[in-house]
Amino acid sequence: MGSTTAARKEAIRHNQNELLYKGVKFSVVGSLAAAVVAMYFFGPLVASQGAAWIWFTALWLVYLARALDCYLFMRATHARQHVQHWTRRFKTGALSSAIAWSLSMWMIFPTDDMAHQVLLVLTLGGVAAGALASLPYDRSLSNIFQLLIFTSVFIRLLVEGSSFSIELALFSTFVFGFLLACGKDVGKNYIDLLRLRQDSQETNLTLIRTTEQMARLGYWQWDLNSKAVDMSTNLTLMLGFRNRKVDIKDCFALMHPDDQLKVQHACAHVMKTGVDTEIEFRTADTRSGDMRHMRQVLKLLVDSDDKTFLLGTIQDVTDVKSAEQKIYSMAYYDDLSGLANRAHFHENLDAEFALARLRHQQFAIIYVDLDDFKGVNDSYGHECGDNYLKHFSNYLTSLTERGDMAARLGGDEFCLLLRDIDNRQEAHDMALQCLEYCNQIVQVGNHRIHPRLSVGIALFPDNAQTADDLVKCADMAMYTVKQAGKHSFAFYDEKMARDNRERVRLEADLRQALDSDEFELWYQPKFDILDNTLTGVEALIRWRHPDRGMIPPDLFISTAERVGMIKEIGEWVLANASAQLKQWNDRGMRLGMAVNISGDHFVAEGFCEFVFDTLRENGLKFQDIEIEITESLSRDPEVHTRICRRLRNAGVRVAIDDFGTGYSSLSVLGQLEVDTLKVDKSFIDGIVDDPAAQLMVRSIIDLSLGLGYDVVAEGVETAEQLDFLRNNDCPYIQGYLFSRPVEAEQIPHLTTMDWSLPRAA
């Protein structure tokens, strides 16, 4: 930075010198003429004629010396390299001139002629004013020039001592003061102009160089009578040559073999026709060996000696080509999987429709969804999930080698386009190949994933006549597989469309259910089988549809989650269950209340605050409420554990529902932030005849009780199951053996019943 600033100052000073020396010739002519006039008018009035001629001769010698110095500067070839030397010479000459003129007040001053005294002062004022014109580019030098003359005039008049000379001294102060003030502003303006011009020149040169580098431009010129090509500095660097003159053969040798002949023909065409030509070619980077894309404009030139040149302007467009390719990829391909994206797939699908109609062909699309992909993301993290998607994408790519198309539509949804199939069996076989992916275990990092797929198939022209409709048909078929238990495939049929319309209708009705007060709470009793008492209830939501009657939650909860209503419904359940518990407490009934909370609602912002506020509004003890979450929620150690801990610290109990069917294991029981484990009904169903189920349930009970958890067995329906649980010290049960879910009005009656049951025979 320092060297750059110094160079700039040197350049400005050199420009000053050039402009100052240009003014010397006018200063010399004017000053010598003024000296002749002064000698003519004032010489005869001076007492000592010798002094007058000495002054006149000295002044002429000074200005002749300045004229010679100006001539030498103009002829100097290295003046730019010796800026300070010429600056000192010019200042010496200018100050010598000022001193010579200052001496006139002492050597040709008419002591007895007041009129000529005034005239001499005005003459010197004019000389000082001339400095404004001859020295405008050096403000300090101009000021010194004027100050020297003013000082001489002022002192000489004071020395004269007469009242007139003193008045004249005051007058000269005003005149020279005005000149100095003007000189200050004029000099500043000229210096600013010089700096601006220098900045403009430097900016333009820098801009040209920077533009050439940024645009990756270079130039070359080839004398057709020679074999050497003269390159610009930037082009030499771009191509990796050491010298600017390069043999034409070396230039062609850098080009890609497939492009050499094309460039040679372009050069020959320009030389023959004289028409400018633009061409692109690839050339090797001598430093990295990579191929670079070049765009070249060829032009034929003829100089004044009739020499013919071929001029080429070359631009490195590798980055442009790369950007174009990247933009194309971003527009048409999925960045994660490398497969076609939704837009590209639909574009190809539209084209396939037109082609199939023209050729009377049929084709199929296969809609594939990775089952429980969200569980993989939640359990193992998004990086693992992304790698899982990449692995499956590679598998799909391997199935489409015959020219079909694979695409990722978004998330965990994929589509295959099978072109020109002969019959539906080909689509059937492709679906089976997709499902074969489930026969392997996918190893992603330290995690082992067991893939599961749901696959839907739609055919053209059987199922739809537009691209959007065909995709919807395949999507409906895939959704039907998910509803039926997943991990299979299905062809689209009309019944699926009717079911889909029914699902859409259900979604619309569900949105009105809350506002229309169509939801109800039923209660599943929980029993202490060691004391044979009813200790609590589990609140279960029911939907009493005005037209369809009672709709159980397994038919609408998933819909509520899909349409984003689960939080509102969950809050309604919690608020109404708390209000009901308050009524029972007021009647002297001491029951615990369990409320099921969906995963999306549990992690929603403000969930804990809503629970606390609801319990306070109803005047309930926090320990009377138990929040039930599904076991899969316990997979997130950072979010769910934190929420559970906050609830429990406030006194609210937390239970894991359907324990044993999710992702936890007995080994992590000691790490759970919960109070109760509810053993899933699938284990209870087998405890009479299945030793494995017996061992599992017994282990869960023993470990859970040993770690201080309460245990609830769900779905108890027989006396034999009850005996097993009682014999293994399971404290609590729920199930049809004791009671089905009932309305709130029946709970008080159930609390008064004798629940002691005989053991199974």
Side-chain angles (χ1 to χ4, degrees):
M1 181 67 184
S3 60
T4 301
T5 303
R8 177 177 176 275
K9 289 181 177 179
E10 288 287 295
I12 294 174
R13 185 67 240 189
H14 175 71
N15 291 336
Q16 284 182 274
N17 288 345
E18 286 187 332
L19 294 170
L20 289 170
Y21 271 110
K22 282 182 180 179
V24 167
K25 55 185 177 181
F26 302 106
S27 176
V28 168
V29 173
S31 296
L32 292 180
V36 170
V37 172
M39 189 64 183
Y40 176 78
F41 282 104
F42 301 116
L45 303 177
V46 178
S48 173
Q49 292 294 311
W53 281 104
I54 290 174
W55 169 81
F56 182 76
T57 303
L59 187 69
W60 267 74
L61 290 175
V62 167
Y63 276 98
L64 289 177
R66 292 194 66 192
L68 177 61
D69 187 50
C70 178
Y71 173 78
L72 294 176
F73 176 81
M74 296 301 179
R75 296 292 301 273
T77 57
H78 301 291
R80 186 177 293 273
Q81 283 75 36
H82 302 88
V83 173
Q84 296 303 322
H85 168 74
W86 289 105
T87 299
R88 287 192 295 270
R89 290 181 62 155
F90 182 86
K91 287 184 176 181
T92 300
L95 294 177
S96 299
S97 301
I99 293 172
W101 277 111
S102 299
L103 291 175
S104 65
M105 283 296 294
W106 303 91
M107 303 185 76
I108 60 171
F109 183 76
T111 55
D112 299 326
D113 191 331
M114 290 184 291
H116 281 82
Q117 289 177 13
V118 174
L119 186 60
L120 180 58
V121 170
L122 292 177
T123 299
L124 292 177
V127 171
L132 293 177
S134 60
L135 304 173
Y137 299 102
D138 194 326
R139 182 174 58 182
S140 61
L141 183 60
S142 175
N143 290 340
I144 293 173
F145 190 99
Q146 295 176 67
L147 281 172
L148 285 174
I149 295 177
F150 167 65
T151 302
S152 178
V153 169
F154 190 78
I155 294 176
R156 180 65 182 86
L157 291 174
L158 291 181
V159 169
E160 184 68 17
S162 66
S163 59
F164 176 78
S165 62
I166 293 174
E167 291 175 358
L168 187 57
L170 294 176
F171 171 76
S172 65
T173 301
F174 171 78
V175 172
F176 281 95
F178 175 77
L179 291 176
L180 285 170
C182 291
K184 178 181 179 182
D185 292 335
V186 171
K188 182 179 183 301
N189 292 337
Y190 273 99
I191 288 297
D192 289 344
L193 183 62
L194 271 179
R195 290 172 177 166
L196 181 62
R197 187 174 74 173
Q198 181 64 29
D199 290 344
S200 178
Q201 290 175 347
E202 291 180 357
T203 300
N204 289 338
L205 290 174
T206 302
L207 182 61
I208 292 172
R209 288 193 295 266
T210 304
T211 302
E212 186 177 358
Q213 292 173 355
M214 291 182 64
R216 301 189 64 80
L217 284 170
Y219 311 92
W220 57 266
Q221 183 174 291
W222 179 23
D223 183 352
L224 298 183
N225 296 320
S226 169
K227 294 183 178 180
V229 175
D230 189 8
M231 298 183 177
S232 68
T233 301
N234 201 50
L235 181 59
T236 304
L237 295 173
M238 284 167 54
L239 298 180
F241 289 115
R242 294 184 178 180
N243 301 314
R244 292 182 56 180
K245 286 191 176 295
V246 182
D247 192 286
I248 187 65
K249 292 182 179 180
D250 294 333
C251 296
F252 280 107
L254 282 181
M255 296 179 189
H256 193 282
D258 295 341
D259 296 337
Q260 291 181 6
L261 188 60
K262 178 175 66 174
V263 176
Q264 290 173 3
H265 286 168
C267 292
H269 175 75
V270 174
M271 289 186 287
K272 181 179 180 180
T273 64
V275 178
D276 297 355
T277 299
E278 182 174 331
I279 190 173
E280 291 189 6
F281 61 92
R282 291 161 294 173
T283 183
D285 189 324
T286 57
R287 293 160 294 186
S288 65
D290 298 333
M291 297 304 297
R292 311 288 297 179
H293 290 267
M294 300 292 183
R295 180 177 294 138
Q296 176 174 247
V297 176
L298 297 171
K299 190 179 186 70
L300 193 67
L301 297 178
V302 180
D303 67 8
S304 57
D305 296 327
D306 289 332
K307 286 186 178 181
T308 304
F309 297 88
L310 195 62
L311 178 67
T313 303
I314 294 180
Q315 183 180 25
D316 187 339
V317 293
T318 305
D319 293 341
V320 176
K321 292 288 185 181
S322 177
E324 290 175 351
Q325 182 60 42
K326 186 173 182 179
I327 292 172
Y328 178 83
S329 296
M330 291 173 63
Y332 289 102
Y333 290 92
D334 176 58
D335 185 54
L336 176 66
S337 65
L339 300 179
N341 60 17
R342 181 183 293 272
H344 194 25
F345 178 77
H346 277 271
E347 187 176 285
N348 276 266
L349 193 56
D350 289 335
E352 189 63 27
F353 263 91
L355 185 63
R357 288 193 182 98
L358 180 65
R359 297 180 177 178
H360 304 289
Q361 296 172 344
Q362 59 179 330
F363 65 89
I365 61 172
I366 299 179
Y367 205 107
V368 184
D369 183 88
L370 291 173
D371 294 334
D372 198 30
F373 175 72
K374 184 177 184 298
V376 173
N377 259 345
D378 292 343
S379 298
Y380 308 136
H382 290 281
E383 182 178 359
C384 179
D386 288 347
N387 289 328
Y388 180 28
L389 291 176
K390 291 178 184 177
H391 190 276
F392 180 63
S393 299
N394 293 335
Y395 180 78
L396 284 185
T397 302
S398 70
L399 301 181
T400 57
E401 292 179 354
R402 74 184 186 93
D404 299 328
M405 183 180 191
R408 182 186 177 211
L409 303 188
D412 58 349
E413 297 179 345
F414 298 82
C415 250
L416 289 174
L417 169 60
L418 305 185
R419 293 184 170 95
D420 188 20
I421 62 174
D422 295 326
N423 49 61
R424 62 187 286 148
Q425 184 62 39
E426 293 185 39
H428 177 278
D429 295 342
M430 179 59 77
L432 290 178
Q433 290 185 58
C434 290
L435 290 173
E436 285 179 7
Y437 183 72
C438 303
N439 296 332
Q440 58 181 298
I441 296 177
V442 179
Q443 186 75 37
V444 180
N446 296 324
H447 306 292
R448 293 161 61 87
I449 301 172
H450 298 268
R452 290 292 181 269
L453 305 177
S454 295
V455 181
I457 307 170
L459 303 172
F460 171 85
D462 298 347
N463 301 141
Q465 298 302 311
T466 67
D468 287 342
D469 287 345
L470 194 64
V471 173
K472 289 177 183 177
C473 289
D475 187 18
M476 278 188 263
M478 182 273 295
Y479 185 81
T480 301
V481 173
K482 279 190 174 293
Q483 292 292 96
K486 306 179 180 179
H487 189 45
S488 185
F489 73 93
F491 283 87
Y492 170 80
D493 61 35
E494 286 297 327
K495 181 179 181 301
M496 295 176 184
R498 291 193 297 271
D499 292 342
N500 183 65
R501 288 193 292 271
E502 181 64 25
R503 187 169 67 249
V504 173
R505 178 188 168 193
L506 181 66
E507 291 176 4
D509 290 347
L510 185 61
R511 295 181 187 277
Q512 298 296 324
L514 269 178
D515 296 334
S516 302
D517 197 25
E518 296 174 9
F519 290 119
E520 300 177 3
L521 286 183
W522 288 45
Y523 299 91
Q524 173 74 56
K526 181 176 75 173
F527 297 94
D528 183 336
I529 61 174
L530 302 181
D531 294 337
N532 295 318
T533 58
L534 189 153
T535 62
V537 295
E538 178 183 354
L540 301 173
I541 189 171
R542 297 292 185 266
W543 180 10
R544 192 178 296 276
H545 194 279
D547 300 322
R548 301 169 61 183
M550 191 66 71
I551 301 177
D554 58 340
L555 295 182
F556 68 84
I557 288 298
S558 59
T559 301
E561 291 177 337
R562 187 172 64 254
V563 300
M565 289 185 60
I566 196 64
K567 180 175 182 290
E568 297 175 74
I569 292 176
E571 290 179 349
W572 181 91
V573 170
L574 186 60
N576 283 270
S578 299
Q580 182 61 65
L581 183 60
K582 176 67 165 59
Q583 293 181 21
W584 289 334
N585 286 349
D586 292 343
R587 296 176 59 179
M589 299 166 55
R590 302 305 302 174
L591 297 173
M593 176 72 74
V595 179
N596 286 285
I597 297 297
S598 76
D600 292 339
H601 186 194
F602 187 73
V603 299
E605 184 177 355
F607 172 73
C608 292
E609 286 74 12
F610 182 82
V611 172
F612 302 153
D613 292 343
T614 300
L615 297 180
R616 293 190 188 99
E617 289 172 5
N618 289 280
L620 298 176
K621 297 179 180 179
F622 281 20
Q623 59 267 30
D624 290 341
I625 289 290
E626 188 168 67
I627 301 297
E628 289 191 10
I629 58 177
T630 59
E631 183 183 352
S632 59
L633 282 178
S634 65
R635 293 170 294 174
D636 193 324
E638 296 182 0
V639 178
H640 303 118
T641 300
R642 174 170 50 82
I643 297 174
C644 289
R645 183 180 296 116
R646 187 177 179 194
L647 291 171
R648 296 182 71 223
N649 288 341
V652 179
R653 295 174 59 83
V654 179
I656 290 184
D657 198 11
D658 302 330
F659 185 82
T661 62
Y663 295 85
S664 298
S665 64
L666 297 179
S667 63
V668 298
L669 278 177
Q671 304 172 18
L672 300 178
E673 281 281 348
V674 297
D675 301 280
T676 303
L677 300 181
K678 302 186 72 173
V679 183
D680 188 68
K681 182 180 184 299
S682 61
F683 293 108
I684 304 303
D685 290 341
I687 59 176
V688 176
D689 303 316
D690 185 357
Q694 294 174 2
L695 178 61
M696 177 63 74
V697 173
R698 188 180 295 115
S699 299
I700 293 175
I701 294 173
D702 290 343
L703 283 173
S704 299
L705 295 178
L707 293 169
Y709 301 128
D710 284 336
V711 180
V712 179
E714 298 181 291
V716 178
E717 298 179 351
T718 68
E720 289 80 8
Q721 294 170 344
L722 177 63
D723 284 345
F724 177 87
L725 296 169
R726 183 180 281 144
N727 292 336
N728 285 278
D729 299 324
C730 179
Y732 303 105
I733 69 164
Q734 287 178 288
Y736 290 178
L737 177 62
F738 287 87
S739 175
R740 292 175 176 271
V742 298
E743 295 180 88
E745 292 79 6
Q746 300 183 43
I747 294 298
H749 172 66
L750 295 180
T751 60
T752 63
M753 293 180 61
D754 179 11
W755 293 105
S756 59
L757 292 178
R759 294 181 179 270

